Amino acid sequence: MNENWTLLKLLRWTTGFFRDKGIDNPRLDAELLIAEVLGLDRVGIYLNYDRPVIATELATIKPLIKRRGQREPLQYLLGRTEFWSLDFKVTPAVLIPRADTEILVEEALKKAADLGELLDIGTGSGAVALSFASEKVNWKVTALDISVAALEVAAENTRDHALDDRCQCVLGDLVQLPEKAFDLVVSNPPYISETEYPELMPEVRDHEPEQALLARENGLDCYRKIAAQAQKILKPGGWLLLEIGYQQQQAVEELLDDAGLTEIYCRQDYASNPRVVAGRRSA
Ligand code: GLN
């Protein structure tokens, strides 16, 4: 990579390089990365095809193109991602929030009265907890995670969205959940089984935190632990909402049933996969 680069030439070169590396949306990723470094938006790219790319810009973008080629997720390279139309900081300490997980926020909002308290178990970047808090001014939200590094990201996102008054980031794990009861408990816990894990895309398997993905007992370990404490952490009439993997609906519904929860149902995502299992503590 040297001499006389224009934006269009760089875009074509990068797209081809990403395609050779097996990246899903090579052109889109090339556009987003170049736009970031050149301080343009995506429309700006189309309007500036002939713009020369100077040596210092090339020096900045080259290592990023290389890292993306090694299948580092674009979101980690940019340091942020969008979820619930909000901008979230992400680092390799947290799972990158997925669009499918917005279903969990939608279901939680449907269950939420004007006032209440929500617990998010395994908050990661804080995406679920903060999206919910952004919609519900009178709720108190507790965002729990076992990872100090993840909580730092969640705390920064809390500050960035000025939600400190509503959302508290707390260190804790599944075996010592807070000694109090909530109106709503939500979680997108690790649920990938040992057999599924090696088959994940390189972006996920090699770069996202294993701690946020992999779960023992065929991916069900966290659900079992949460279900075991459901009666304790839910107020009477309170709802538990859990994101699940596409093959886990029956097993998780059974766990909630065994835990004595009622009104159990599953909500599909927009790709028609089972995505959120919900159950309620009797009033
Ligand atoms: N949905 C994520 C994936 O497919 C997994 C998230 C999780 O384990 N909680 O990579």
Side-chain angles (χ1 to χ4, degrees):
M1 283 177 105
N2 44 36
E3 322 254 327
N4 299 335
W5 284 80
T6 62
L7 203 163
L8 183 60
K9 187 174 162 192
L10 179 63
L11 183 59
R12 289 199 172 134
W13 188 91
T14 306
T15 303
F17 177 73
F18 286 172
R19 186 174 294 118
D20 290 346
K21 295 290 178 183
I23 288 166
D24 266 351
N25 299 300
R27 171 81 181 203
L28 177 64
D29 278 20
E31 286 178 5
L32 291 169
L33 206 54
I34 292 168
E36 171 80 10
V37 172
L38 300 188
L40 300 168
D41 56 19
R42 276 181 67 209
V43 178
I45 289 203
Y46 289 94
L47 299 177
N48 288 281
Y49 274 163
D50 295 330
R51 175 192 186 289
V53 182
I54 58 173
T56 51
E57 290 168 335
L58 283 174
T60 306
I61 201 163
K62 259 162 70 176
L64 294 171
I65 292 171
K66 186 168 168 218
R67 285 168 62 190
R68 185 67 192 102
Q70 292 162 344
R71 307 296 293 268
E72 270 191 58
L74 185 74
Q75 295 91 334
Y76 289 154
L77 297 179
L78 302 180
R80 59 186 153 73
T81 196
E82 190 188 297
F83 181 85
W84 203 256
S85 302
L86 299 170
D87 202 48
F88 286 94
K89 180 185 177 188
V90 292
T91 75
V94 300
L95 194 79
I96 297 161
R98 314 283 202 258
D100 287 333
T101 302
E102 292 184 350
I103 301 286
L104 185 60
V105 179
E106 283 179 17
E107 286 306 295
L109 287 170
K110 282 188 206 163
K111 301 286 183 285
D114 284 345
L115 198 79
E117 288 187 90
L118 175 138
L119 171 66
D120 177 22
I121 304 172
T123 200
S125 64
V128 171
L130 295 169
S131 299
F132 180 91
S134 75
E135 304 281 346
K136 286 284 168 189
V137 282
N138 294 320
W139 276 62
K140 290 283 175 232
V141 170
T142 303
L144 192 79
D145 210 284
I146 192 174
S147 156
V148 175
L151 271 188
E152 282 169 4
V153 177
E156 203 170 320
N157 280 319
T158 306
R159 281 193 298 276
D160 286 350
H161 294 290
L163 291 167
D164 311 64
D165 56 331
R166 287 176 234 170
C167 184
Q168 204 188 1
C169 298
V170 176
L171 189 67
D173 68 23
L174 282 177
V175 281
Q176 44 173 150
L177 290 172
E179 290 288 329
K180 65 175 281 184
F182 295 83
D183 303 276
L184 280 174
V185 176
V186 298
S187 184
N188 173 20
Y191 56 69
I192 305 292
S193 70
E194 311 252 358
T195 48
E196 291 168 316
Y197 194 75
E199 310 296 329
L200 294 173
M201 286 166 62
E203 279 85 351
V204 181
R205 185 192 59 216
D206 301 338
H207 298 282
E208 297 202 71
E210 184 185 296
Q211 196 181 24
L213 289 160
L214 185 65
R216 282 196 289 263
E217 295 194 45
N218 204 24
L220 295 172
D221 186 43
C222 298
Y223 301 119
R224 230 181 269 288
K225 289 181 173 140
I226 294 170
Q229 299 170 81
Q231 299 287 344
K232 196 186 76 181
I233 55 174
L234 289 171
K235 289 184 191 168
W239 282 93
L240 173 63
L241 301 161
L242 301 170
E243 175 168 324
I244 58 159
Y246 72 108
Q247 293 170 313
Q248 293 172 320
Q249 177 182 351
Q250 198 189 344
V252 174
E253 287 184 356
E254 276 170 23
L255 285 171
L256 299 199
D257 190 48
D258 292 347
L261 298 188
T262 59
E263 300 180 49
I264 294 162
Y265 71 92
C266 179
R267 161 95 198 266
Q268 294 187 339
D269 61 27
Y270 294 107
S272 300
N273 290 312
R275 183 55 64 188
V276 170
V277 166
R280 188 176 202 188
R281 185 178 162 195
S282 302

